[in-house]
Amino acid sequence: MAELLDPQTVEKELSDLAGWAREGDTLTRTWQLKGFSGALQVANVVGYVANRLNHHPDIAIHDYNRVTVTTTTHDSGGLTANDVRLASAVNAALTVAE
Ligand SMILES: C[C@H](O)[C@H](O)[C@H]1CNC2=NC(N)=NC(=O)C2=N1
C-alpha cells in the first residue's frame, strides 16, 4: 500500500503540477474546453492514462465544456505518490493533445 504524503511534500509536488490544487485528501484540476466534444476528448485521454497507471480518478464532464479530475488513493485513504504520478502524467498527455 502506498504511503501517505505529508502536507509539506504535497505542497512541494504541487509546485510542479501546473493547474492542480489540493482539496482535502484529493488533488484536483479543471479544464475548460471549446465545447462538449473537447471535454469528451480530454476525459478519454485522462481515462487512458488512468488505466495505464492503474490509478483511477473521478472524471466529471460538467457545464458542457468543462472537465474536472479529482484523484486520491483509496487503498491508502489519502494522497500518495500515485496521485502525483497521475496528475503529472495527465498534464504531459494533455500538453501533447492540445
Ligand atoms: C487493487 C486496487 O484496486 C488497485 O491497486 C488500484 C486501482 N485503482 C486505484 N485508483 C485509485 N484512485 N486509488 C486506488 O487505491 C486504486 N487502486
Side-chain angles (χ1 to χ4, degrees):
M1 183 180 307
E3 267 195 35
L4 293 176
L5 299 178
D6 60 64
Q8 294 74 17
T9 303
V10 173
E11 288 312 308
K12 182 177 156 300
E13 295 288 1
L14 277 171
S15 62
D16 293 326
L17 294 173
W20 289 82
R22 175 175 186 164
E23 281 186 9
D25 284 337
T26 76
L27 296 180
T28 188
R29 181 175 178 181
T30 296
W31 290 262
Q32 181 167 336
L33 290 312
K34 288 192 174 62
F36 186 77
S37 299
L40 211 46
Q41 235 181 351
V42 165
N44 275 282
V45 169
V46 174
Y48 173 81
V49 171
N51 278 328
R52 294 287 295 167
L53 295 180
N54 188 34
H55 196 71
H56 305 92
D58 292 349
I59 306 170
I61 296 175
H62 55 97
D63 307 315
Y64 97 90
N65 67 346
R66 291 170 192 255
V67 181
T68 295
V69 176
T70 305
T71 184
T72 192
T73 303
H74 306 298
D75 295 347
S76 305
L79 284 173
T80 71
N82 296 332
D83 300 298
V84 173
R85 186 174 305 117
L86 178 78
S88 179
V90 164
N91 276 5
L94 288 174
T95 304
V96 170
E98 274 171 5

